[in-house]
Amino acid sequence: MAVKSEHIPKATIARLATYIQVLSEFKREGTDVVSSERLAEACSVNSSQIRKDLAYFGEFGVRGVGYYVQDLITSIKRSLGIDRAWNCALVGVGNLGRALLRHREFSRKGFIIRGAFDCDPYKIGEVVEGMEIVCSRQLPAKVKELSLEIGVITTPPERAQRAANYLIGAGIKGIINFAPARIAVPKHIHLEYVDFFHCFYAAAFHIRFADTND
Amino acid sequence: MAVKSEHIPKATIARLATYIQVLSEFKREGTDVVSSERLAEACSVNSSQIRKDLAYFGEFGVRGVGYYVQDLITSIKRSLGIDRAWNCALVGVGNLGRALLRHREFSRKGFIIRGAFDCDPYKIGEVVEGMEIVCSRQLPAKVKELSLEIGVITTPPERAQRAANYLIGAGIKGIINFAPARIAVPKHIHLEYVDFFHCFYAAAFHIRFADTND
DNA sequence: TCATGTTTGTGAAATTAATAACAGAATCCT
DNA sequence: AGGATTCTGTTATTAATTTCACAAACATGA
Ligand SMILES: NC(=O)c1ccc[n+]([C@@H]2O[C@H](COP(=O)([O-])OP(=O)(O)OC[C@H]3O[C@@H](n4cnc5c(N)ncnc54)[C@H](O)[C@@H]3O)[C@@H](O)[C@H]2O)c1
Ligand SMILES: NC(=O)c1ccc[n+]([C@@H]2O[C@H](COP(=O)([O-])OP(=O)(O)OC[C@H]3O[C@@H](n4cnc5c(N)ncnc54)[C@H](O)[C@@H]3O)[C@@H](O)[C@H]2O)c1
């Protein structure tokens, strides 16, 4: 049983990711046990927030003691469904796609890019980080062959919908879209947008109007 | 006057960025006027949400008509403070840093990377996308010389705090941290975290537990 | 064993955000 | 011109999320 409650806020999922990051840091420092209070401080959140977030998934702490760091990392990972590897397809091997392919942390965290696809004939056949770039047309075959579950779109924005359509047709389960374009997907496909500019905009807003807001 | 109300929700700022994206798409398609209803549909939000978000900043629409697309883009940009250019410093010119440097969209959107800094002597002096990589030690001088306001951290996580310290010491106003590490900054410095893994985790969670959640 | 101190898990309260409802303003059509 | 229609801006309502507060659980030391 991984989920105790029915609906889990999106914000909770985002925070769980932060908790893992901070807990891993504690682990590296040699801390074995941590209280919600101390974890909260390191994550800049309220301590009840942490306890409530965890309560959606189960009881992971020991009263009077706190949380065993390694155990909590394991529990959160299981709760999020990242206690196993996920096979990913990368569509669009340009600047950003290459940076992602070269990023070791993806496989370390369990997201393994097993297929790199592009439609540019000059790029097809090229090998990046031990991965051969193949034609987008091969997506359906490769998705089945390699059990790819998550599609990562790093094409130009005007091609994002097409890339999504390929992925959906190939039977992918979720899509992470790095292109700054809204795309339409059937509702059984999980879709996440990553837009770097959002945070640049937010930074500009807060710096500019630092006196009135913030 | 850019801000009508005192406090503006973080979520509103994020949505405004989406509105700009979708409005720009409408503009390219030749649409001159759009209703909150239609914009809402394209952004997958509620139409009152849009009207309310905009109301924080002013009255941009015409009753019985809707919003003039170009005017609304201009108004939102002014509201966010992105009606002018922002000079940025990039610290850490590795895989991700290079992808960002090569990304034309940054300067098109008004975020101009004017300084690229690294501490690796083999990288210093190298020219990437017309930009010479200089030593991190030169940050204070360059921040003043080039009026850099936003610092972008793309160093490994264990170096993120040091990079932040350099930037803060140099007089930067805001920091966008792409490294998966929490960093401490004085409260007058605006800080944004960008963590790609958050959305991979969210995707894994929703796909894995598609039956119970979502 | 029992008192004391700590810290979790959780229901209740407070805060915040999202949605609905509608009056007022503009257009369009007859 | 005036009535019907459209669509914004704003207030009211509802829903969701966060914070508070405290009982229950465990640890420690006398
Ligand atoms: N580079 C960055 O730092 C950065 C930052 C933020 C967002 N983005 C976004 O990420 C996306 C990619 O950026 P980039 O800089 O890597 O662009 P890029 O032009 O370097 O790469 C795009 C790649 O997609 C391929 N492609 C185009 N259509 C395709 C299709 N239908 N199927 C498969 N492949 C296809 C192209 O051949 C090319 O290799 C863009 O949408 C961009 O806006 C990039
Ligand atoms: N590459 C990706 O796709 C990707 C994706 C998500 C997150 N990230 C994160 O972004 C960061 C950079 O990733 P990368 O793949 O580019 O790593 P990288 O190792 O290729 O680049 C890091 C660069 O930072 C420089 N550096 C180290 N310490 C520095 C300091 N104190 N001052 C200035 N420069 C310094 C290094 O010399 C190197 O050039 C990492 O924290 C990584 O976790 C990268």
PDB file of all heavy atoms in Angstrom, chain A residues 99-100 103 105-106, chain B residues 91-97 117-120 123 136 154-157 159 162-163 166 178-180 196-197, ligand 2:
ATOM      1  N   ALA A  99      22.245  18.039 -23.377  1.00  0.00           N
ATOM      2  CA  ALA A  99      22.591  18.297 -21.970  1.00  0.00           C
ATOM      3  C   ALA A  99      21.926  17.246 -21.084  1.00  0.00           C
ATOM      4  O   ALA A  99      22.547  16.711 -20.164  1.00  0.00           O
ATOM      5  CB  ALA A  99      22.152  19.697 -21.548  1.00  0.00           C
ATOM      6  N   LEU A 100      20.685  16.902 -21.395  1.00  0.00           N
ATOM      7  CA  LEU A 100      19.976  15.899 -20.600  1.00  0.00           C
ATOM      8  C   LEU A 100      20.613  14.524 -20.783  1.00  0.00           C
ATOM      9  O   LEU A 100      20.833  13.798 -19.817  1.00  0.00           O
ATOM     10  CB  LEU A 100      18.486  15.852 -20.985  1.00  0.00           C
ATOM     11  CG  LEU A 100      17.671  17.126 -20.737  1.00  0.00           C
ATOM     12  CD1 LEU A 100      16.225  16.930 -21.168  1.00  0.00           C
ATOM     13  CD2 LEU A 100      17.709  17.531 -19.268  1.00  0.00           C
ATOM     14  N   HIS A 103      23.651  14.067 -18.797  1.00  0.00           N
ATOM     15  CA  HIS A 103      23.505  14.253 -17.357  1.00  0.00           C
ATOM     16  C   HIS A 103      23.381  12.907 -16.661  1.00  0.00           C
ATOM     17  O   HIS A 103      22.362  12.238 -16.754  1.00  0.00           O
ATOM     18  CB  HIS A 103      22.275  15.124 -17.097  1.00  0.00           C
ATOM     19  CG  HIS A 103      22.186  15.639 -15.694  1.00  0.00           C
ATOM     20  ND1 HIS A 103      23.250  16.192 -15.035  1.00  0.00           N
ATOM     21  CD2 HIS A 103      21.153  15.684 -14.815  1.00  0.00           C
ATOM     22  CE1 HIS A 103      22.880  16.558 -13.820  1.00  0.00           C
ATOM     23  NE2 HIS A 103      21.606  16.250 -13.668  1.00  0.00           N
ATOM     24  N   GLU A 105      22.999  12.165 -13.632  1.00  0.00           N
ATOM     25  CA  GLU A 105      22.073  12.101 -12.514  1.00  0.00           C
ATOM     26  C   GLU A 105      20.743  11.423 -12.870  1.00  0.00           C
ATOM     27  O   GLU A 105      20.098  10.819 -12.020  1.00  0.00           O
ATOM     28  CB  GLU A 105      21.822  13.523 -12.002  1.00  0.00           C
ATOM     29  CG  GLU A 105      21.582  13.640 -10.518  1.00  0.00           C
ATOM     30  CD  GLU A 105      22.702  13.033  -9.681  1.00  0.00           C
ATOM     31  OE1 GLU A 105      23.891  13.093 -10.102  1.00  0.00           O
ATOM     32  OE2 GLU A 105      22.378  12.458  -8.634  1.00  0.00           O
ATOM     33  N   PHE A 106      20.355  11.507 -14.129  1.00  0.00           N
ATOM     34  CA  PHE A 106      19.088  10.891 -14.522  1.00  0.00           C
ATOM     35  C   PHE A 106      19.073   9.398 -14.236  1.00  0.00           C
ATOM     36  O   PHE A 106      18.169   8.903 -13.574  1.00  0.00           O
ATOM     37  CB  PHE A 106      18.782  11.153 -15.995  1.00  0.00           C
ATOM     38  CG  PHE A 106      18.140  12.478 -16.222  1.00  0.00           C
ATOM     39  CD1 PHE A 106      18.880  13.566 -16.674  1.00  0.00           C
ATOM     40  CD2 PHE A 106      16.793  12.669 -15.943  1.00  0.00           C
ATOM     41  CE1 PHE A 106      18.288  14.806 -16.849  1.00  0.00           C
ATOM     42  CE2 PHE A 106      16.184  13.908 -16.120  1.00  0.00           C
ATOM     43  CZ  PHE A 106      16.936  14.977 -16.574  1.00  0.00           C
TER      44      PHE A 106
ATOM     45  N   VAL B  91      26.793  31.209 -13.909  1.00  0.00           N
ATOM     46  CA  VAL B  91      27.936  30.679 -13.159  1.00  0.00           C
ATOM     47  C   VAL B  91      27.968  29.161 -13.294  1.00  0.00           C
ATOM     48  O   VAL B  91      27.057  28.476 -12.830  1.00  0.00           O
ATOM     49  CB  VAL B  91      27.862  31.080 -11.670  1.00  0.00           C
ATOM     50  CG1 VAL B  91      29.133  30.646 -10.945  1.00  0.00           C
ATOM     51  CG2 VAL B  91      27.639  32.570 -11.524  1.00  0.00           C
ATOM     52  N   GLY B  92      29.002  28.652 -13.948  1.00  0.00           N
ATOM     53  CA  GLY B  92      29.128  27.208 -14.186  1.00  0.00           C
ATOM     54  C   GLY B  92      28.804  26.883 -15.634  1.00  0.00           C
ATOM     55  O   GLY B  92      27.647  26.684 -16.000  1.00  0.00           O
ATOM     56  N   VAL B  93      29.838  26.840 -16.486  1.00  0.00           N
ATOM     57  CA  VAL B  93      29.592  26.618 -17.910  1.00  0.00           C
ATOM     58  C   VAL B  93      29.874  25.166 -18.283  1.00  0.00           C
ATOM     59  O   VAL B  93      30.871  24.847 -18.928  1.00  0.00           O
ATOM     60  CB  VAL B  93      30.444  27.579 -18.774  1.00  0.00           C
ATOM     61  CG1 VAL B  93      29.981  27.536 -20.228  1.00  0.00           C
ATOM     62  CG2 VAL B  93      30.354  29.004 -18.245  1.00  0.00           C
ATOM     63  N   GLY B  94      28.995  24.273 -17.839  1.00  0.00           N
ATOM     64  CA  GLY B  94      29.106  22.858 -18.171  1.00  0.00           C
ATOM     65  C   GLY B  94      28.062  22.508 -19.222  1.00  0.00           C
ATOM     66  O   GLY B  94      27.730  23.331 -20.077  1.00  0.00           O
ATOM     67  N   ASN B  95      27.542  21.293 -19.152  1.00  0.00           N
ATOM     68  CA  ASN B  95      26.533  20.851 -20.122  1.00  0.00           C
ATOM     69  C   ASN B  95      25.315  21.757 -20.141  1.00  0.00           C
ATOM     70  O   ASN B  95      24.901  22.248 -21.194  1.00  0.00           O
ATOM     71  CB  ASN B  95      26.054  19.444 -19.768  1.00  0.00           C
ATOM     72  CG  ASN B  95      27.090  18.402 -20.096  1.00  0.00           C
ATOM     73  OD1 ASN B  95      27.734  18.483 -21.125  1.00  0.00           O
ATOM     74  ND2 ASN B  95      27.256  17.442 -19.205  1.00  0.00           N
ATOM     75  N   LEU B  96      24.758  21.968 -18.958  1.00  0.00           N
ATOM     76  CA  LEU B  96      23.531  22.751 -18.887  1.00  0.00           C
ATOM     77  C   LEU B  96      23.813  24.225 -19.173  1.00  0.00           C
ATOM     78  O   LEU B  96      23.090  24.860 -19.942  1.00  0.00           O
ATOM     79  CB  LEU B  96      22.891  22.589 -17.504  1.00  0.00           C
ATOM     80  CG  LEU B  96      21.549  23.282 -17.325  1.00  0.00           C
ATOM     81  CD1 LEU B  96      20.525  22.760 -18.325  1.00  0.00           C
ATOM     82  CD2 LEU B  96      21.035  23.097 -15.898  1.00  0.00           C
ATOM     83  N   GLY B  97      24.879  24.744 -18.597  1.00  0.00           N
ATOM     84  CA  GLY B  97      25.238  26.138 -18.822  1.00  0.00           C
ATOM     85  C   GLY B  97      25.400  26.446 -20.307  1.00  0.00           C
ATOM     86  O   GLY B  97      24.928  27.464 -20.809  1.00  0.00           O
ATOM     87  N   PHE B 117      30.714  32.622 -16.196  1.00  0.00           N
ATOM     88  CA  PHE B 117      31.796  32.441 -15.229  1.00  0.00           C
ATOM     89  C   PHE B 117      32.009  30.962 -14.907  1.00  0.00           C
ATOM     90  O   PHE B 117      31.054  30.193 -14.817  1.00  0.00           O
ATOM     91  CB  PHE B 117      31.470  33.203 -13.946  1.00  0.00           C
ATOM     92  CG  PHE B 117      31.237  34.663 -14.180  1.00  0.00           C
ATOM     93  CD1 PHE B 117      29.969  35.128 -14.520  1.00  0.00           C
ATOM     94  CD2 PHE B 117      32.283  35.571 -14.100  1.00  0.00           C
ATOM     95  CE1 PHE B 117      29.745  36.481 -14.756  1.00  0.00           C
ATOM     96  CE2 PHE B 117      32.078  36.926 -14.339  1.00  0.00           C
ATOM     97  CZ  PHE B 117      30.807  37.384 -14.669  1.00  0.00           C
ATOM     98  N   ASP B 118      33.280  30.586 -14.751  1.00  0.00           N
ATOM     99  CA  ASP B 118      33.611  29.219 -14.359  1.00  0.00           C
ATOM    100  C   ASP B 118      34.893  29.288 -13.540  1.00  0.00           C
ATOM    101  O   ASP B 118      35.620  30.280 -13.597  1.00  0.00           O
ATOM    102  CB  ASP B 118      33.773  28.316 -15.583  1.00  0.00           C
ATOM    103  CG  ASP B 118      33.446  26.865 -15.277  1.00  0.00           C
ATOM    104  OD1 ASP B 118      34.170  26.252 -14.459  1.00  0.00           O
ATOM    105  OD2 ASP B 118      32.459  26.341 -15.839  1.00  0.00           O
ATOM    106  N   CYS B 119      35.170  28.215 -12.784  1.00  0.00           N
ATOM    107  CA  CYS B 119      36.393  28.240 -11.987  1.00  0.00           C
ATOM    108  C   CYS B 119      37.423  27.271 -12.547  1.00  0.00           C
ATOM    109  O   CYS B 119      38.546  27.172 -12.058  1.00  0.00           O
ATOM    110  CB  CYS B 119      36.075  27.904 -10.536  1.00  0.00           C
ATOM    111  SG  CYS B 119      35.445  26.250 -10.334  1.00  0.00           S
ATOM    112  N   ASP B 120      37.030  26.538 -13.610  1.00  0.00           N
ATOM    113  CA  ASP B 120      37.934  25.555 -14.209  1.00  0.00           C
ATOM    114  C   ASP B 120      38.905  26.272 -15.153  1.00  0.00           C
ATOM    115  O   ASP B 120      38.492  26.849 -16.160  1.00  0.00           O
ATOM    116  CB  ASP B 120      37.075  24.536 -14.977  1.00  0.00           C
ATOM    117  CG  ASP B 120      37.920  23.447 -15.630  1.00  0.00           C
ATOM    118  OD1 ASP B 120      39.150  23.610 -15.710  1.00  0.00           O
ATOM    119  OD2 ASP B 120      37.329  22.442 -16.061  1.00  0.00           O
ATOM    120  N   LYS B 123      38.590  25.910 -18.842  1.00  0.00           N
ATOM    121  CA  LYS B 123      37.446  26.516 -19.526  1.00  0.00           C
ATOM    122  C   LYS B 123      37.590  28.025 -19.669  1.00  0.00           C
ATOM    123  O   LYS B 123      37.054  28.620 -20.605  1.00  0.00           O
ATOM    124  CB  LYS B 123      36.160  26.180 -18.764  1.00  0.00           C
ATOM    125  CG  LYS B 123      35.771  24.712 -18.971  1.00  0.00           C
ATOM    126  CD  LYS B 123      34.517  24.326 -18.229  1.00  0.00           C
ATOM    127  CE  LYS B 123      34.188  22.873 -18.519  1.00  0.00           C
ATOM    128  NZ  LYS B 123      33.337  22.267 -17.493  1.00  0.00           N
ATOM    129  N   SER B 136      35.536  33.048 -12.073  1.00  0.00           N
ATOM    130  CA  SER B 136      34.528  33.428 -11.083  1.00  0.00           C
ATOM    131  C   SER B 136      35.019  34.582 -10.200  1.00  0.00           C
ATOM    132  O   SER B 136      34.217  35.360  -9.692  1.00  0.00           O
ATOM    133  CB  SER B 136      34.199  32.244 -10.177  1.00  0.00           C
ATOM    134  OG  SER B 136      33.848  31.125 -10.940  1.00  0.00           O
ATOM    135  N   THR B 154      24.579  27.176 -12.457  1.00  0.00           N
ATOM    136  CA  THR B 154      24.573  25.863 -13.129  1.00  0.00           C
ATOM    137  C   THR B 154      25.876  25.140 -12.814  1.00  0.00           C
ATOM    138  O   THR B 154      26.487  24.536 -13.687  1.00  0.00           O
ATOM    139  CB  THR B 154      24.391  26.008 -14.655  1.00  0.00           C
ATOM    140  OG1 THR B 154      25.316  26.979 -15.141  1.00  0.00           O
ATOM    141  CG2 THR B 154      22.986  26.425 -15.019  1.00  0.00           C
ATOM    142  N   THR B 155      26.271  25.218 -11.560  1.00  0.00           N
ATOM    143  CA  THR B 155      27.449  24.476 -11.086  1.00  0.00           C
ATOM    144  C   THR B 155      26.962  23.152 -10.503  1.00  0.00           C
ATOM    145  O   THR B 155      25.752  22.972 -10.318  1.00  0.00           O
ATOM    146  CB  THR B 155      28.147  25.251  -9.957  1.00  0.00           C
ATOM    147  OG1 THR B 155      27.240  25.341  -8.851  1.00  0.00           O
ATOM    148  CG2 THR B 155      28.529  26.652 -10.396  1.00  0.00           C
ATOM    149  N   PRO B 156      27.863  22.243 -10.173  1.00  0.00           N
ATOM    150  CA  PRO B 156      27.418  21.046  -9.454  1.00  0.00           C
ATOM    151  C   PRO B 156      26.825  21.464  -8.110  1.00  0.00           C
ATOM    152  O   PRO B 156      27.187  22.519  -7.581  1.00  0.00           O
ATOM    153  CB  PRO B 156      28.727  20.256  -9.251  1.00  0.00           C
ATOM    154  CG  PRO B 156      29.659  20.770 -10.300  1.00  0.00           C
ATOM    155  CD  PRO B 156      29.305  22.204 -10.490  1.00  0.00           C
ATOM    156  N   PRO B 157      25.931  20.644  -7.547  1.00  0.00           N
ATOM    157  CA  PRO B 157      25.212  21.029  -6.324  1.00  0.00           C
ATOM    158  C   PRO B 157      26.129  21.420  -5.168  1.00  0.00           C
ATOM    159  O   PRO B 157      25.838  22.374  -4.446  1.00  0.00           O
ATOM    160  CB  PRO B 157      24.373  19.793  -5.995  1.00  0.00           C
ATOM    161  CG  PRO B 157      24.822  18.712  -6.910  1.00  0.00           C
ATOM    162  CD  PRO B 157      25.474  19.355  -8.067  1.00  0.00           C
ATOM    163  N   ARG B 159      28.766  22.949  -5.185  1.00  0.00           N
ATOM    164  CA  ARG B 159      29.377  24.258  -5.388  1.00  0.00           C
ATOM    165  C   ARG B 159      28.340  25.381  -5.446  1.00  0.00           C
ATOM    166  O   ARG B 159      28.713  26.553  -5.583  1.00  0.00           O
ATOM    167  CB  ARG B 159      30.160  24.278  -6.713  1.00  0.00           C
ATOM    168  CG  ARG B 159      31.307  23.298  -6.788  1.00  0.00           C
ATOM    169  CD  ARG B 159      32.344  23.591  -5.722  1.00  0.00           C
ATOM    170  NE  ARG B 159      33.531  22.786  -5.952  1.00  0.00           N
ATOM    171  CZ  ARG B 159      34.570  23.180  -6.691  1.00  0.00           C
ATOM    172  NH1 ARG B 159      34.552  24.375  -7.245  1.00  0.00           N
ATOM    173  NH2 ARG B 159      35.603  22.379  -6.868  1.00  0.00           N
ATOM    174  N   ARG B 162      28.650  28.181  -2.799  1.00  0.00           N
ATOM    175  CA  ARG B 162      29.800  29.043  -3.052  1.00  0.00           C
ATOM    176  C   ARG B 162      29.495  30.008  -4.197  1.00  0.00           C
ATOM    177  O   ARG B 162      29.778  31.214  -4.106  1.00  0.00           O
ATOM    178  CB  ARG B 162      31.021  28.193  -3.400  1.00  0.00           C
ATOM    179  CG  ARG B 162      32.298  29.002  -3.424  1.00  0.00           C
ATOM    180  CD  ARG B 162      33.505  28.159  -3.817  1.00  0.00           C
ATOM    181  NE  ARG B 162      33.628  26.964  -2.982  1.00  0.00           N
ATOM    182  CZ  ARG B 162      34.680  26.154  -3.020  1.00  0.00           C
ATOM    183  NH1 ARG B 162      35.675  26.398  -3.869  1.00  0.00           N
ATOM    184  NH2 ARG B 162      34.731  25.093  -2.248  1.00  0.00           N
ATOM    185  N   ALA B 163      28.909  29.472  -5.255  1.00  0.00           N
ATOM    186  CA  ALA B 163      28.548  30.319  -6.397  1.00  0.00           C
ATOM    187  C   ALA B 163      27.589  31.419  -5.943  1.00  0.00           C
ATOM    188  O   ALA B 163      27.740  32.587  -6.309  1.00  0.00           O
ATOM    189  CB  ALA B 163      27.916  29.478  -7.500  1.00  0.00           C
ATOM    190  N   TYR B 166      29.431  34.145  -4.046  1.00  0.00           N
ATOM    191  CA  TYR B 166      30.118  35.045  -4.981  1.00  0.00           C
ATOM    192  C   TYR B 166      29.137  36.063  -5.542  1.00  0.00           C
ATOM    193  O   TYR B 166      29.393  37.260  -5.566  1.00  0.00           O
ATOM    194  CB  TYR B 166      30.683  34.265  -6.172  1.00  0.00           C
ATOM    195  CG  TYR B 166      31.969  33.517  -5.915  1.00  0.00           C
ATOM    196  CD1 TYR B 166      32.176  32.264  -6.511  1.00  0.00           C
ATOM    197  CD2 TYR B 166      32.997  34.045  -5.137  1.00  0.00           C
ATOM    198  CE1 TYR B 166      33.354  31.562  -6.324  1.00  0.00           C
ATOM    199  CE2 TYR B 166      34.175  33.351  -4.938  1.00  0.00           C
ATOM    200  CZ  TYR B 166      34.356  32.103  -5.529  1.00  0.00           C
ATOM    201  OH  TYR B 166      35.521  31.412  -5.349  1.00  0.00           O
ATOM    202  N   PHE B 178      19.808  26.201 -10.679  1.00  0.00           N
ATOM    203  CA  PHE B 178      19.502  24.958 -11.388  1.00  0.00           C
ATOM    204  C   PHE B 178      20.129  23.738 -10.707  1.00  0.00           C
ATOM    205  O   PHE B 178      19.847  22.609 -11.104  1.00  0.00           O
ATOM    206  CB  PHE B 178      20.012  25.024 -12.836  1.00  0.00           C
ATOM    207  CG  PHE B 178      19.148  25.840 -13.750  1.00  0.00           C
ATOM    208  CD1 PHE B 178      19.241  27.227 -13.777  1.00  0.00           C
ATOM    209  CD2 PHE B 178      18.238  25.229 -14.606  1.00  0.00           C
ATOM    210  CE1 PHE B 178      18.441  27.990 -14.632  1.00  0.00           C
ATOM    211  CE2 PHE B 178      17.430  25.981 -15.467  1.00  0.00           C
ATOM    212  CZ  PHE B 178      17.538  27.366 -15.474  1.00  0.00           C
ATOM    213  N   ALA B 179      20.997  23.975  -9.740  1.00  0.00           N
ATOM    214  CA  ALA B 179      21.636  22.841  -9.053  1.00  0.00           C
ATOM    215  C   ALA B 179      20.688  22.271  -8.010  1.00  0.00           C
ATOM    216  O   ALA B 179      19.987  23.026  -7.335  1.00  0.00           O
ATOM    217  CB  ALA B 179      22.930  23.300  -8.397  1.00  0.00           C
ATOM    218  N   PRO B 180      20.636  20.962  -7.876  1.00  0.00           N
ATOM    219  CA  PRO B 180      19.731  20.349  -6.898  1.00  0.00           C
ATOM    220  C   PRO B 180      20.300  20.444  -5.497  1.00  0.00           C
ATOM    221  O   PRO B 180      20.693  19.447  -4.914  1.00  0.00           O
ATOM    222  CB  PRO B 180      19.611  18.910  -7.379  1.00  0.00           C
ATOM    223  CG  PRO B 180      20.889  18.644  -8.092  1.00  0.00           C
ATOM    224  CD  PRO B 180      21.368  19.950  -8.649  1.00  0.00           C
ATOM    225  N   PHE B 196      14.565  19.876 -12.381  1.00  0.00           N
ATOM    226  CA  PHE B 196      13.943  19.029 -13.396  1.00  0.00           C
ATOM    227  C   PHE B 196      13.336  17.778 -12.803  1.00  0.00           C
ATOM    228  O   PHE B 196      12.328  17.279 -13.277  1.00  0.00           O
ATOM    229  CB  PHE B 196      14.985  18.539 -14.409  1.00  0.00           C
ATOM    230  CG  PHE B 196      15.598  19.618 -15.213  1.00  0.00           C
ATOM    231  CD1 PHE B 196      15.329  20.945 -14.959  1.00  0.00           C
ATOM    232  CD2 PHE B 196      16.453  19.303 -16.264  1.00  0.00           C
ATOM    233  CE1 PHE B 196      15.903  21.935 -15.720  1.00  0.00           C
ATOM    234  CE2 PHE B 196      17.020  20.293 -17.024  1.00  0.00           C
ATOM    235  CZ  PHE B 196      16.752  21.603 -16.756  1.00  0.00           C
ATOM    236  N   PHE B 197      13.959  17.269 -11.747  1.00  0.00           N
ATOM    237  CA  PHE B 197      13.514  15.996 -11.224  1.00  0.00           C
ATOM    238  C   PHE B 197      12.134  16.073 -10.586  1.00  0.00           C
ATOM    239  O   PHE B 197      11.412  15.084 -10.574  1.00  0.00           O
ATOM    240  CB  PHE B 197      14.546  15.431 -10.247  1.00  0.00           C
ATOM    241  CG  PHE B 197      15.739  14.900 -10.966  1.00  0.00           C
ATOM    242  CD1 PHE B 197      16.926  15.591 -10.968  1.00  0.00           C
ATOM    243  CD2 PHE B 197      15.656  13.720 -11.697  1.00  0.00           C
ATOM    244  CE1 PHE B 197      18.018  15.118 -11.669  1.00  0.00           C
ATOM    245  CE2 PHE B 197      16.737  13.240 -12.407  1.00  0.00           C
ATOM    246  CZ  PHE B 197      17.930  13.942 -12.392  1.00  0.00           C
TER     247      PHE B 197
HETATM  248  N1  LIG E   2      22.951  18.652 -17.542  1.00  0.00           N
HETATM  249  C1  LIG E   2      21.662  18.587 -17.304  1.00  0.00           C
HETATM  250  O1  LIG E   2      20.900  18.234 -18.158  1.00  0.00           O
HETATM  251  C2  LIG E   2      21.119  18.955 -15.966  1.00  0.00           C
HETATM  252  C3  LIG E   2      19.778  18.740 -15.698  1.00  0.00           C
HETATM  253  C4  LIG E   2      19.248  19.093 -14.455  1.00  0.00           C
HETATM  254  C5  LIG E   2      20.067  19.666 -13.513  1.00  0.00           C
HETATM  255  N2  LIG E   2      21.339  19.865 -13.778  1.00  0.00           N
HETATM  256  C6  LIG E   2      22.182  20.476 -12.739  1.00  0.00           C
HETATM  257  O2  LIG E   2      22.834  21.590 -13.261  1.00  0.00           O
HETATM  258  C7  LIG E   2      24.135  21.668 -12.728  1.00  0.00           C
HETATM  259  C8  LIG E   2      25.134  21.649 -13.856  1.00  0.00           C
HETATM  260  O3  LIG E   2      25.018  20.441 -14.582  1.00  0.00           O
HETATM  261  P1  LIG E   2      26.007  20.118 -15.769  1.00  0.00           P
HETATM  262  O4  LIG E   2      25.559  18.865 -16.368  1.00  0.00           O
HETATM  263  O5  LIG E   2      26.150  21.310 -16.610  1.00  0.00           O
HETATM  264  O6  LIG E   2      27.372  19.858 -14.949  1.00  0.00           O
HETATM  265  P2  LIG E   2      28.857  20.046 -15.475  1.00  0.00           P
HETATM  266  O7  LIG E   2      29.734  19.324 -14.538  1.00  0.00           O
HETATM  267  O8  LIG E   2      28.906  19.744 -16.919  1.00  0.00           O
HETATM  268  O9  LIG E   2      29.129  21.607 -15.315  1.00  0.00           O
HETATM  269  C9  LIG E   2      29.401  22.233 -14.095  1.00  0.00           C
HETATM  270  C10 LIG E   2      30.338  23.412 -14.358  1.00  0.00           C
HETATM  271  O10 LIG E   2      30.432  24.203 -13.182  1.00  0.00           O
HETATM  272  C11 LIG E   2      31.787  24.616 -13.035  1.00  0.00           C
HETATM  273  N3  LIG E   2      32.003  24.986 -11.634  1.00  0.00           N
HETATM  274  C12 LIG E   2      32.181  24.178 -10.564  1.00  0.00           C
HETATM  275  N4  LIG E   2      32.337  24.892  -9.457  1.00  0.00           N
HETATM  276  C13 LIG E   2      32.248  26.196  -9.803  1.00  0.00           C
HETATM  277  C14 LIG E   2      32.338  27.406  -9.090  1.00  0.00           C
HETATM  278  N5  LIG E   2      32.495  27.430  -7.780  1.00  0.00           N
HETATM  279  N6  LIG E   2      32.218  28.560  -9.795  1.00  0.00           N
HETATM  280  C15 LIG E   2      32.030  28.549 -11.122  1.00  0.00           C
HETATM  281  N7  LIG E   2      31.930  27.415 -11.849  1.00  0.00           N
HETATM  282  C16 LIG E   2      32.051  26.255 -11.192  1.00  0.00           C
HETATM  283  C17 LIG E   2      32.571  23.424 -13.505  1.00  0.00           C
HETATM  284  O11 LIG E   2      33.894  23.804 -13.852  1.00  0.00           O
HETATM  285  C18 LIG E   2      31.748  22.984 -14.713  1.00  0.00           C
HETATM  286  O12 LIG E   2      32.133  23.654 -15.875  1.00  0.00           O
HETATM  287  C19 LIG E   2      24.290  20.496 -11.800  1.00  0.00           C
HETATM  288  O13 LIG E   2      24.039  20.908 -10.487  1.00  0.00           O
HETATM  289  C20 LIG E   2      23.250  19.550 -12.268  1.00  0.00           C
HETATM  290  O14 LIG E   2      22.779  18.729 -11.228  1.00  0.00           O
HETATM  291  C21 LIG E   2      21.904  19.532 -15.000  1.00  0.00           C
END
